[in-house]
Structure formats: C-alpha cells, structure tokens
Amino acid sequence: INPSVTISVSVSGNRSEADVPEKLSSAVSRTIRVSSNVALTGRVVRTVGPFVNTGPVPPKAEQPTTYTVVWTVDNTSSSVTNAQVTAKLPAYVEWLGAVSPTSEQVSYDENSGNIMWNIGNIGTYTVGSSRRREVNFQVSFQPSISHVDDSPTLVDQATLTAIDSFTGSQLQSQQDNVTTRFSTDPSYQEGQATVVK
C-alpha cells in the first residue's frame, strides 16, 4: 500500500590541486511517490443484473427497448477520495430512474441529460474483490427510422475523476460510449444490436 521508489546516487573522486590530493564524495537520495491506478469500465446487459428489461431485440424502430448499463470502478495501490463518474445520455435515450444498489449516489439532470455517480472514497486493491465499486442503472431506447441498420449509443463517453490520498494527484479514467451491442450478456447473439424496421 502507498508505493514509493527511493533513488540514491553517490559520487566519489579525487581532486589534485597545488599538489595536495583531496578525496571528494557526495550522496543524494530522493523518494518518489507512485500514484494509484483507478479504472472505469462500462458494459450493457439485458437478461442479467437487477432489472427486468423489456422490448424487442433486435430493437425496432418506433418501439422502446430497455437496457441495463453497468459501471465498474477498480483501484490498485492507494486509497482515493472524491471519486465521481460523469456521462451524458443522448437525447433519444430515456433515464428510467432505476439504480442498483440503491446505496450508490447516482443523480440525473433531465435538462442536460447528465448522469453523475458520486462514489466518494475507494479502498485499495479492489480488482476482482467485493470491495470494487459497481452500479447498475436502466435506460430506455426508442429508435427512429434514422437508426435502422445502426447500433446507436446508449451512454456517451464516461469520465472517472478522483484524488490519490497518498500523492495528492488528480486521477482520471475514461470509458468509451456504450451502445446497443450488449455482447457481455450471456444471451447475446450477433445481429441483436442493430436496429430493424
């Protein structure tokens, strides 16, 4: 926990001035603090998770289909504070207000379409453990004719920011936009992400 690297350099030599030999030496040591690595990942599912999703698959124009978006945050060596994730929903995606677990602080601004997950503090070495932070939320997508033959974005690029408690550094991680391609769902079959008429 709280990794650091210590670098020590020592130099010695002989100086001869006015036929008087003199031995010189110097040593310097510095400790460099290493920041933690926080990582945000995002995925979309339909048949697993805390919510029941409805609607046609593949999605059909003019008919709503719901999806569960899953954000996961992992952290490595130092605890972090003030962690939060922000993203935006496209205008054609509806926020349904369903969040799990309910203990996670997720808010949505209808006017801007912005989602904010206020995580707060994250402990160390969370990868693959019960200490990782994860949240699920449900959205609804009603495609228009213009979406036919496309796999539209459900959530725009998400950004995680946090402060490393050990180094004081600002940390950041980004997750690309997630689309109707719910390929991490065990029921997914190729072609189910593309909007049809």
Side-chain angles (χ1 to χ4, degrees):
I1 297 177
N2 297 338
S4 58
V5 176
T6 301
I7 300 171
S8 299
V9 178
S10 59
V11 178
S12 63
N14 294 317
R15 180 174 74 173
S16 181
E17 192 175 288
D19 296 327
V20 179
E22 184 181 359
K23 187 168 178 87
L24 302 171
S25 65
S26 180
V28 176
S29 180
R30 294 284 184 270
T31 299
I32 301 169
R33 294 181 172 194
V34 180
S35 291
S36 193
N37 181 25
V38 289
L40 168 67
T41 56
R43 60 193 178 96
V44 175
V45 293
R46 287 205 80 247
T47 64
V48 293
F51 310 123
V52 174
N53 287 296
T54 59
V57 173
K60 290 186 179 180
E62 311 301 339
Q63 295 186 41
T65 296
T66 65
Y67 298 86
T68 300
V69 179
V70 185
W71 281 341
T72 304
V73 174
D74 277 311
N75 184 37
T76 56
S77 54
S78 304
S79 61
V80 300
T81 61
N82 298 333
Q84 68 175 30
V85 177
T86 55
K88 187 172 184 176
L89 293 185
Y92 53 81
V93 175
E94 181 185 356
W95 173 261
L96 296 181
V99 175
S100 179
T102 55
S103 56
E104 292 296 342
Q105 297 179 28
V106 179
S107 60
Y108 175 69
D109 184 328
E110 270 186 37
N111 296 323
S112 64
N114 289 331
I115 306 167
M116 180 184 290
W117 178 22
N118 186 9
I119 304 170
N121 301 336
I122 306 173
T124 58
Y125 299 109
T126 64
V127 180
S129 79
S130 61
R131 289 174 294 137
R132 75 184 342 174
R133 297 296 289 272
E134 188 167 271
V135 71
N136 301 260
F137 57 90
Q138 193 176 39
V139 296
S140 179
F141 165 54
Q142 183 164 314
S144 65
I145 294 297
S146 65
H147 290 121
V148 171
D149 297 328
D150 194 11
S151 301
T153 294
L154 295 175
V155 181
D156 290 336
Q157 184 184 67
T159 301
L160 163 69
T161 57
I163 296 174
D164 188 299
S165 300
F166 181 52
T167 65
S169 301
Q170 173 112 6
L171 308 175
Q172 188 176 89
S173 176
Q174 291 185 319
Q175 163 64 45
D176 288 340
N177 60 314
V178 292
T179 70
T180 52
R181 184 176 176 83
F182 57 102
S183 56
T184 60
D185 191 302
S187 73
Y188 180 77
Q189 296 177 17
E190 206 56 50
Q192 290 185 327
T194 305
V195 176
V196 296
K197 288 184 181 178

